[in-house]
Amino acid sequence: MKDRTRKIIVAVLLVIAVCCAGYLIWYYATAAKTKQSYDDAKKLVTENVKPSKTDSDDGEQTKPEIPVDFTALQEKNPDIYAWIKIDGTTVDYPVCQNNEDDW
């Protein structure tokens, strides 16, 4: 009886270990796919921000050009609304907005 109980416990623990390993493989594969997706979107964004001059009443002001090619991004995903980048951090992602506000 004791040997049978031990075999059952070992079998259950083995099944749990296999399930955990499968979950970890799925998790890291999904994370890699998501990172690749963000990297592809970042390639569409130009990194060179060149200021362009605009005239106003109180003199000349410089406004930075938008360094994001939203047309190319929206061809990949029409829900892309903006791009957020915070210097000095790892925040450099597209912002999506859907027209349907069901929630």
Side-chain angles (χ1 to χ4, degrees):
M1 186 73 167
K2 195 175 190 182
D3 190 41
R4 182 178 175 184
T5 305
R6 184 174 298 177
K7 287 181 182 180
I8 291 172
I9 291 173
V10 168
V12 168
L13 291 176
L14 184 61
V15 168
I16 291 172
V18 168
C19 289
C20 288
Y23 173 75
L24 287 174
I25 291 170
W26 171 82
Y27 176 81
Y28 285 111
T30 303
K33 184 178 176 183
T34 302
K35 183 179 181 325
Q36 182 64 40
S37 174
Y38 282 130
D39 290 343
D40 290 344
K42 286 179 187 179
K43 287 178 186 177
L44 297 174
V45 178
T46 58
E47 291 295 309
N48 299 329
V49 180
K50 300 174 186 173
S52 62
K53 294 184 180 181
T54 57
D55 294 328
S56 67
D57 296 332
D58 52 329
E60 290 187 7
Q61 295 179 347
T62 59
K63 292 173 73 176
E65 289 184 10
I66 298 174
V68 179
D69 184 7
F70 283 106
T71 306
L73 286 172
Q74 289 176 340
E75 286 176 6
K76 290 189 87 160
N77 185 352
D79 292 336
I80 291 182
Y81 179 74
W83 192 277
I84 185 167
K85 179 178 181 178
I86 301 174
D87 294 330
T89 67
T90 59
V91 177
D92 189 14
Y93 299 109
V95 178
C96 296
Q97 180 180 12
N98 194 336
N99 291 334
E100 299 175 12
D101 292 328
D102 293 339
W103 48 278

